[in-house]
Amino acid sequence: VQLVESGGGLVQPGGSLRLSCAASGFTFSSYTMSWYRRAPGKGREVVAVINSAGGRTNYADSVKGRLTISRDNSKNTVYLQMNSLKPEDTAVYYCNVDLGYGMDYWGKGTLVTVSS
């Protein structure tokens, strides 16, 4: 299983970024996918979750209305569209899939820095 995140970078407050996570090594269309983040000095928190078909999503209260998770099962890719970014969104963002039976996989992460 491989999860490779991309799209992070430096953005000004109020700006936008789109993160991508390319997945391989498992049947992507069969599994729920999640985005997590770890801010400096803080623990990891779940940001957004999308079910296998893409019809159901859930978000952390702190990002509702600003971040949107989506997926393209034909491309084995999950996305995180990030709008109206705030300095407190600064974090390393990770893609995750839990295949069950203790098989929980993470990407290496992509750094998002929101600063003027």
Side-chain angles (χ1 to χ4, degrees), residues 2 6 9-10 23 33-34 39 41 44 50 55-58 60-62 66 73 75 100-103 108-109 112:
Q2 251 195 330
S6 61
L10 173 64
M33 298 296 298
S34 304
R44 187 172 58 201
I50 188 166
R56 284 188 297 169
T57 57
N58 281 294
D61 287 344
S62 58
R66 301 187 299 114
N73 285 347
K75 295 182 178 179
Y101 304 103
M103 295 185 291
K108 293 183 178 180
V112 172

Side-chain angles (χ1 to χ4, degrees), residues 43-111:
R44 187 172 58 201
E45 64 168 340
V46 59
V47 174
V49 181
I50 188 166
N51 73 334
S52 57
R56 284 188 297 169
T57 57
N58 281 294
Y59 297 92
D61 287 344
S62 58
V63 306
K64 280 180 182 176
R66 301 187 299 114
L67 274 57
T68 303
I69 189 171
S70 62
R71 65 192 294 161
D72 186 338
N73 285 347
S74 69
K75 295 182 178 179
N76 286 5
T77 300
V78 60
Y79 304 97
L80 187 66
Q81 178 66 44
M82 310 171 70
N83 298 329
S84 302
L85 283 163
K86 304 176 180 180
E88 51 263 44
D89 294 317
T90 295
V92 179
Y93 285 74
Y94 300 91
C95 183
N96 168 264
V97 64
D98 184 352
L99 303 182
Y101 304 103
M103 295 185 291
D104 193 22
Y105 294 93
W106 299 85
K108 293 183 178 180
T110 186
L111 176 63

Side-chain angles (χ1 to χ4, degrees), residues 2-6 20-24 35 95 107-108:
Q2 251 195 330
L3 300 172
V4 180
E5 302 95 338
S6 61
S20 299
C21 171
S24 61
W35 283 98
C95 183
K108 293 183 178 180

